[in-house]
């Protein structure tokens, strides 16, 4: 199970009865009455699943070794950005599962085109194209992640296009919900 995630043990009896959960390390995991394990801290713990028995059924136990791992991260960001020379911009990137788990770093691969500060603010320097690498170094509870975005700087007007990734066949009086994207990512909303 991952840190701050849950996983169902799916422990069941083949008859009616109640299971109890005994945890060897309460700092690492907890288990609710439904058998959901909650990762609280990186580490390992044993969970003993216990049925105390009844007049009709014998007691039984099973032990499961659980390891709580660093949770995966992802950087959510548009893939292409464009600006006109002399402008300032911003690369809006979000760290998932939450921006509160750490700080993103930004690095331009060609500072003669754009410079990017530690918050994603872009200073447009010259005409051309480059990539900007965005990364999260990871920490004791979350894995590292990275993304790259394409940046193009134009002398004047920015060309845009609308992408629709579907083909539709419609009958008279029939509607459809289309999903479309705009390129570059920072050109505006549809």
């Amino acid at each position: 199970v991952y840190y701050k995630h849950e996983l169902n043990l799916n422990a069941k009896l083949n008859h009616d009865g109640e299971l109890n959960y005994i945890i060897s390390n309460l700092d690492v995991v907890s288990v609710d009455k439904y058998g959901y394990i909650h990762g609280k801290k990186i580490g390992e713990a044993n969970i003993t699943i216990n049925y105390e028995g009844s007049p009709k059924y014998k007691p039984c136990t099973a032990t499961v070794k659980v390891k709580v791992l660093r949770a995966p991260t992802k950087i959510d960001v548009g893939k292409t950005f464009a600006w006109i020379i002399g402008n300032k911009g911003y690369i809006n990137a979000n760290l998932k599962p939450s921006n509160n788990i750490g700080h993103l770093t930004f690095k331009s691969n060609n500072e003669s085109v754009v410079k990017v500060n530690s918050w994603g603010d872009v200073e447009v320097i010259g005409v051309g194209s480059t990539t900007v690498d965005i990364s999260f170094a990871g920490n004791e509870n979350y894995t590292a992640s990275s993304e790259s975005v394409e940046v193009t700087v134009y002398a004047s007007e920015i060309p845009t296009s609308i992408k629709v990734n579907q083909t539709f066949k419609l009958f008279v009086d029939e509607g459809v919900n289309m999903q479309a994207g705009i390129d570059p990512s920072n050109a505006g909303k549809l």
Side-chain angles (χ1 to χ4, degrees), residues 122-189:
V122 176
E123 181 182 355
V124 179
I125 306 297
V127 174
S129 295
T130 188
T131 57
V132 172
D133 297 325
I134 306 162
S135 61
F136 169 62
N139 59 35
E140 65 184 22
N141 295 317
Y142 294 94
T143 61
S145 58
S146 64
E147 280 291 338
S148 292
V149 297
E150 296 293 323
V151 174
T152 305
V153 175
Y154 295 93
S156 58
E157 199 172 277
I158 300 172
T160 57
S161 63
I162 296 174
K163 296 178 183 177
V164 179
N165 295 328
Q166 299 171 343
T167 303
F168 301 99
K169 290 183 182 179
L170 298 174
F171 296 101
V172 174
D173 294 329
E174 188 176 50
V176 68
N177 184 9
M178 292 182 13
Q179 293 192 3
I182 192 164
D183 189 33
S185 301
N186 65 324
K189 296 185 184 223

Side-chain angles (χ1 to χ4, degrees), residues 23 27 31 35 43 48 63-64 72 85 91 106 118 134 137 150 160 167 187:
I23 304 164
D27 290 335
V31 180
T48 301
T63 300
V64 177
I85 194 164
I91 297 176
F106 297 80
S118 62
I134 306 162
E150 296 293 323
T160 57
T167 303

Side-chain angles (χ1 to χ4, degrees), residues 1 23-31 37-41 43-47 66-68:
V1 67
I23 304 164
S24 67
N25 190 341
L26 291 170
D27 290 335
V28 173
V29 294
S30 64
V31 180
I37 304 169
H38 304 272
K40 294 167 54 178
K41 181 179 174 185
E44 294 182 6
N46 290 325
I47 299 173
V66 176
K67 188 172 187 177
V68 177

Side-chain angles (χ1 to χ4, degrees), residues 3-4 42 69-73 95-104 135-145:
Y3 173 73
K4 286 201 173 181
I42 307 304
L69 304 171
R70 293 187 315 156
T73 61
L95 183 59
K96 304 287 183 176
S98 166
N99 280 330
N100 294 330
I101 63 174
H103 184 69
L104 294 174
S135 61
F136 169 62
N139 59 35
E140 65 184 22
N141 295 317
Y142 294 94
T143 61
S145 58

Side-chain angles (χ1 to χ4, degrees), residues 48-113:
T48 301
I49 306 162
N50 184 42
Y51 171 66
E52 294 180 359
S54 70
K56 188 175 178 182
Y57 297 104
K58 290 183 178 185
C60 62
T61 62
T63 300
V64 177
K65 185 175 192 169
V66 176
K67 188 172 187 177
V68 177
L69 304 171
R70 293 187 315 156
T73 61
K74 178 184 182 229
I75 297 171
D76 186 20
V77 64
K79 294 296 178 196
T80 61
F81 292 84
W83 287 283
I84 296 172
I85 194 164
N87 287 352
K88 291 186 181 273
Y90 176 70
I91 297 176
N92 186 14
N94 293 296
L95 183 59
K96 304 287 183 176
S98 166
N99 280 330
N100 294 330
I101 63 174
H103 184 69
L104 294 174
T105 59
F106 297 80
K107 181 184 181 307
S108 172
N109 288 310
N110 185 347
E111 290 194 343
S112 66
V113 176

